[in-house]
Amino acid sequence: MRKPIIVGNWKMNKTIAEATAFIKEVDPVCHDGATYGVGTSFLALQDAIKNAKNLIIAAENCHFEDSGAFTGEVSVPMLEEIGVKYCIIGHSERRQMFGDSDETVNKKAKRLIKAGITPILCIGETEAQYDAKETESVIRSQLSGSLADLCPECVKGIVIAYEPIWAIGTGKSATKEDAQKCCHIVRDQIEKMYGKEAADAVRIQYGGSVKPENIVEYMACEDIDGALIGGASLKADSFKEIIEKTK
Ligand code: PGA
């Protein structure tokens, strides 16, 4: 049985004070129906970890090197030191605006796994790739690059977020049929690379305009084990509604 995992991705939103207020309000309503969490700015991580009893707190990025001349970056040992247990990597905004590639995402995944931090690895096609019917080949190639040279045992613990880029922040969410089909392709690709046991264990999220109104239909899909949620995770009320609807 895969335990569902629903994570808010706050992106570059919320000061430390705002993050604290959200966590104090939302943390008490979490329940065992799923693992719930939020991805915060690097600055808010420490306080968030201190304030959260139930929510898991994720970093939104990391560097793959431990230290060195990488101005403005944060390394995995730095995250480890403050007790971070999850880290989003390869989000499409990072791939599109900050040069993240399957190769660097793969290095980040390896370094996180070595530290015992769970990667939440994001993949997904652009609108042009969707229109050109390249979704399946994009998913397979992103996974074969980002998950290269890992051990099957390590892959079991990873979370994959399938997020079609055209659905992110647009209100134009994928149909549940499309989302299920793509998450099934993700699982199939993992089976091809690391075997059935790893594929059955890995948790796959759908992301892209998930909100209280559509969370239930995604969660009912066989290969969808959760969601990565941007906009609808910023307001405590809407995140609480999502928690309530996934009991
Ligand atoms: P959205 O963002 O829910 O606002 O579409 C999802 C994401 O970027 O992970």
Side-chain angles (χ1 to χ4, degrees):
M1 254 309 261
R2 297 183 293 265
K3 184 166 183 184
I5 178 163
I6 296 178
V7 177
N9 172 17
W10 284 349
K11 312 187 180 189
M12 197 175 72
N13 290 293
K14 292 200 191 292
T15 62
I16 298 173
E18 288 164 348
T20 302
F22 180 106
I23 289 166
K24 290 202 166 142
E25 188 175 342
V26 174
D27 196 73
V29 306
C30 292
H31 51 75
D32 258 357
T35 299
Y36 298 96
V38 286
T40 82
S41 77
F42 287 129
L43 282 176
L45 284 171
Q46 257 185 296
D47 277 26
I49 289 167
K50 279 191 200 121
N51 287 320
K53 288 192 182 67
N54 303 307
L55 286 164
I56 56 122
I57 305 299
E60 297 175 11
N61 184 34
C62 64
H63 199 280
F64 50 81
E65 293 290 352
D66 284 2
S67 62
F70 303 101
T71 303
E73 290 292 305
V74 170
S75 73
V76 173
M78 292 170 187
L79 297 177
E80 220 182 338
E81 185 186 32
I82 59 164
V84 170
K85 296 278 183 270
Y86 290 80
C87 183
I88 300 169
I89 51 172
H91 189 278
S92 61
E93 286 148 19
R94 295 220 51 93
R95 291 177 187 260
Q96 291 185 317
M97 292 186 272
F98 303 100
D100 285 18
S101 64
D102 291 334
E103 196 187 340
T104 57
V105 171
N106 181 238
K107 288 185 187 170
K108 292 177 188 197
K110 284 181 180 151
R111 186 60 190 89
L112 287 167
I113 289 167
K114 194 172 152 208
I117 299 176
T118 301
I120 301 176
L121 166 65
C122 305
I123 56 157
E125 81 283 4
T126 62
E127 184 147 39
Q129 290 165 333
Y130 177 83
D131 289 342
K133 306 211 176 327
E134 290 167 4
T135 301
E136 176 162 356
S137 62
V138 169
I139 291 175
R140 291 193 188 276
S141 112
Q142 285 182 331
L143 285 173
S144 52
S146 319
L147 291 181
D149 307 318
L150 299 173
C151 68
E153 208 48 44
C154 310
V155 172
K156 279 187 190 171
I158 286 179
V159 178
I160 310 284
Y162 164 67
E163 303 198 296
I165 295 170
W166 47 269
I168 294 178
T170 58
K172 214 166 71 177
S173 49
T175 62
K176 64 176 189 307
E177 291 79 13
D178 269 356
Q180 159 58 26
K181 196 169 118 200
C182 292
C183 290
H184 183 72
I185 294 168
V186 171
R187 206 174 295 289
D188 183 67
Q189 180 62 25
I190 291 171
E191 180 168 346
K192 284 198 164 74
M193 294 171 73
Y194 292 107
K196 190 162 170 23
E197 232 184 283
D200 283 344
V202 85
R203 291 186 290 175
I204 304 172
Q205 299 173 317
Y206 165 75
S209 299
V210 175
K211 47 187 186 247
E213 293 75 21
N214 60 19
I215 183 76
V216 174
E217 62 185 52
Y218 290 123
M219 296 303 287
C221 298
E222 196 183 331
D223 286 294
I224 300 181
D225 308 309
L228 189 59
I229 306 172
S233 74
L234 288 172
K235 292 221 162 59
D237 278 349
S238 85
F239 204 63
K240 283 199 296 192
E241 210 178 323
I242 287 168
I243 294 174
E244 176 61 30
K245 288 195 162 162
T246 48
K247 261 193 175 141

